Amino acid sequence: MNSTVIAVSSNGDYSFTKPNRGSVTLLAGLGVEGDVHAGVTVKHRSRVAQDPTQPNLRQVHLIHQELFAELRNAGFEIRPGDLGENITTSGIDLLSLPVGTLLHLGGEAVVEVTGLRNPCLQIENFQNGLLKRVVGRTDNGTVVRKAGIMGVVTAGGVVLPGDAVEMELPDGPHRPLERV
């Protein structure tokens, strides 16, 4: 199956959802041009409150469209950008990627995967009961986070809906994703 970009989204203001765009420009070391979460240091309010000098490992948020189908089957209607992601993909199991995977988006842009998005209460406020669908526990108590992955931009470029997504796994032993 071909992996593709389904939608791109950004927002210059703090809000949970992000409107879809015709394109987004990724800036190396910063994130999505014009997006409120772009920057070298953390931009998420809770993390800024803890330590505003932390490196921003959450420059780009990606979610797989297949999650929306799963949520639709559970009675939720979610569209690209609704959960605050910048890039919605199809045909790639984002949650199974190891830390350090490089995602080549379109002709130039590259995002290095840093970890899992840690779903917050804003998801519950968006749609009642949704938080339990995107974060849960296995039978042995392991936390499972499904609300996408985060990454940093290592090479800038324009990303458009319909662009190919190519995956480059890191060398050496693969480290599973943890929340960032």
Side-chain angles (χ1 to χ4, degrees):
M1 174 184 250
N2 292 333
S3 302
T4 58
V5 173
I6 298 301
V8 294
S9 310
S10 67
N11 198 337
D13 297 319
Y14 277 105
S15 73
F16 182 66
T17 62
K18 294 186 179 189
N20 295 155
R21 308 288 181 190
S23 68
V24 293
T25 300
L26 301 187
L27 303 173
L30 295 173
V32 179
E33 182 177 47
D35 192 77
V36 70
H37 294 111
V40 174
T41 57
V42 293
K43 301 300 175 196
H44 287 76
R45 290 177 176 168
S46 63
R47 292 170 191 262
V48 169
Q50 291 172 0
D51 178 2
T53 66
Q54 294 176 73
N56 188 3
L57 301 178
R58 299 167 57 105
Q59 294 174 358
V60 181
H61 177 199
L62 300 96
I63 286 185
H64 51 295
Q65 176 181 275
E66 292 81 359
L67 174 64
F68 301 159
E70 178 184 324
L71 295 172
R72 192 173 302 109
N73 289 337
F76 297 94
E77 188 57 41
I78 307 294
R79 294 177 306 278
D82 280 354
L83 299 182
E85 76 276 9
N86 300 111
I87 299 173
T88 309
T89 65
S90 178
I92 184 169
D93 185 0
L94 297 173
L95 302 178
S96 71
L97 298 175
V99 171
T101 298
L102 299 178
L103 297 174
H104 298 263
L105 306 163
E108 299 173 345
V110 180
V111 172
E112 181 179 345
V113 176
T114 56
L116 296 168
R117 175 190 185 185
N118 191 32
C120 65
L121 201 53
Q122 287 182 327
I123 289 177
E124 186 65 17
N125 294 337
F126 179 68
Q127 287 188 33
N128 191 34
L130 187 57
L131 184 60
K132 285 185 177 182
R133 295 292 178 166
V134 297
V135 67
R137 292 191 180 275
T138 63
D139 290 339
N140 70 0
T142 303
V143 176
V144 176
R145 293 174 178 87
K146 297 181 184 180
I149 63 171
M150 308 305 286
V152 297
V153 181
T154 60
V158 175
V159 181
L160 304 156
D163 278 349
V165 178
E166 294 182 21
M167 171 183 57
E168 182 182 341
L169 294 173
D171 292 332
H174 291 176
R175 293 185 355 228
L177 298 178
E178 296 179 5
R179 71 179 180 92
V180 293

